[in-house]
Amino acid sequence: MRNITLPFLIAATLLLSACGTTNTVPITGRKTHLLVSDAQVLSLSTQQYQEYLKTAKASADQQNTALVKRVGQRLATAVETYLKDNGFAGEIENFAWEFNLVADNQVNAFCMPGGKIVVYEGLLPVTKDEASLAIVLGHEIAHAVAKHSAEQMSKQIRQQYAVKAGTSVLGAAGAGTITTSAINSIANAGFNFANLKYSRDNETEADHLGLIFAAMAGYDPQTAIPFWQRMAELSGNSNKSDIMSDHPSDQKRIAALQKEMPEALKYYKP
């Protein structure tokens, strides 16, 4: 940081503010300033997804595979209906939903931008039922809808500017060139959406949206509480501090979901 002068930081801040777009997260209304476009994020995501599929092994369990696809599509349909009806119709073109179950014992799932969602077989013994699976898939869909990947990438770009950039770079390059260079740096460093770590705030927001998305699709949002209690028992993380983690503790997660439950139940029509 010693080589970065105050005038440069001011100029860089103004430059970053001038480029990018403002994104509004559905339901929560939270606004974020993104330095990467939907096209850029989707391009990187598609590349990463194709690479992942080359190494992943699809589940041989046809019944559970069909379950994941059915629940996922039901949620996606409900979410798209909501977006169309609430001024976000233009966002739908960014999604090409795909739901896959892979043969992996990890208790996990992930979502890539554009709606490419992967569930590991190891998660299903914990979800136990269709409604709990909907809670998980709703959470993953929420990451895509809220553009958390673009938000995290924008954060990394800002960090790169703060650490590496110099006055000469600022004077020699335009906003478009700088942004493109930063994105390429992230990609060349092995950026992997499957391993993208969201902040605690993003995870909490995905829990909130996911709870409502599940309710919109006709799944009882109240199943989220026993599901996360099972997850807490499995991880032993219920009372641990989350200060050094990018995920909230299970205890905080459950407390937040209980607080949001009345809102979610307003969307629930069995």
Side-chain angles (χ1 to χ4, degrees):
M1 288 291 289
R2 63 179 181 275
N3 293 325
I4 299 178
T5 63
L6 181 60
F8 166 73
L9 289 176
I10 295 173
T13 300
L14 292 173
L15 179 59
L16 288 173
S17 298
C19 62
T21 59
T22 299
N23 176 60
T24 301
V25 179
I27 297 177
T28 67
R30 185 173 67 91
K31 295 185 182 300
T32 58
H33 188 72
L34 305 180
L35 300 179
V36 289
S37 68
D38 293 331
Q40 290 168 326
V41 174
L42 292 174
S43 177
L44 282 174
S45 175
T46 299
Q47 294 173 28
Q48 291 288 340
Y49 186 64
Q50 290 172 346
E51 289 299 315
Y52 172 79
L53 291 181
K54 292 178 182 178
T55 59
K57 181 181 179 182
S59 173
D61 189 323
Q62 295 184 0
Q63 184 175 354
N64 281 336
T65 296
L67 172 67
V68 169
K69 292 182 182 297
R70 183 178 71 250
V71 175
Q73 193 54 57
R74 180 170 162 180
L75 282 158
T77 299
V79 169
E80 289 195 356
T81 298
Y82 174 84
L83 294 176
K84 288 177 183 177
D85 294 343
N86 290 273
F88 294 95
E91 296 297 326
I92 296 174
E93 65 185 25
N94 294 322
F95 302 121
W97 302 105
E98 192 170 326
F99 302 90
N100 290 301
L101 180 66
V102 299
D104 192 310
N105 290 327
Q106 293 184 65
V107 183
N108 205 358
F110 68 82
C111 176
M112 292 187 178
K116 308 300 186 188
I117 295 174
V118 172
V119 175
Y120 296 120
E121 283 183 329
L123 182 67
L124 297 184
V126 187
T127 55
K128 292 184 179 296
D129 54 47
E130 188 169 327
S132 295
L133 176 60
I135 295 297
V136 174
L137 292 178
H139 173 98
E140 298 303 334
I141 287 173
H143 280 310
V145 171
K147 300 185 180 181
H148 286 158
S149 291
E151 184 176 349
Q152 292 299 317
M153 288 178 69
S154 298
K155 183 185 296 184
Q156 290 187 31
I157 291 171
R158 292 187 183 94
Q159 291 170 349
Q160 283 195 356
Y161 287 150
V163 174
K164 293 184 177 180
T167 306
S168 59
V169 175
L170 183 64
T177 303
I178 292 177
T179 302
T180 300
S181 176
I183 292 170
N184 288 336
S185 296
I186 294 172
N188 292 335
F191 187 89
N192 191 325
F193 283 107
N195 296 321
L196 182 64
K197 299 297 184 183
Y198 298 108
S199 69
R200 291 197 299 274
D201 289 344
N202 283 167
E203 285 296 323
T204 299
E205 185 172 60
D207 280 348
H208 180 189
L209 295 177
L211 194 69
I212 291 174
F213 291 163
M216 287 177 180
Y219 294 105
D220 186 353
Q222 296 173 101
T223 59
I225 305 305
F227 165 71
W228 279 109
Q229 288 172 339
R230 292 194 296 272
M231 287 290 286
E233 291 175 4
L234 186 66
S235 67
N237 185 41
S238 60
N239 295 312
K240 291 182 180 179
S241 171
D242 59 8
I243 192 169
M244 297 299 290
S245 174
D246 46 35
H247 282 57
S249 68
D250 293 328
Q251 184 181 43
K252 288 184 178 179
R253 188 166 232 157
I254 292 169
L257 288 170
Q258 288 172 328
K259 184 177 180 180
E260 293 155 0
M261 196 62 65
E263 179 187 2
L265 287 170
K266 293 177 181 178
Y267 292 89
Y268 177 47
K269 296 180 181 179

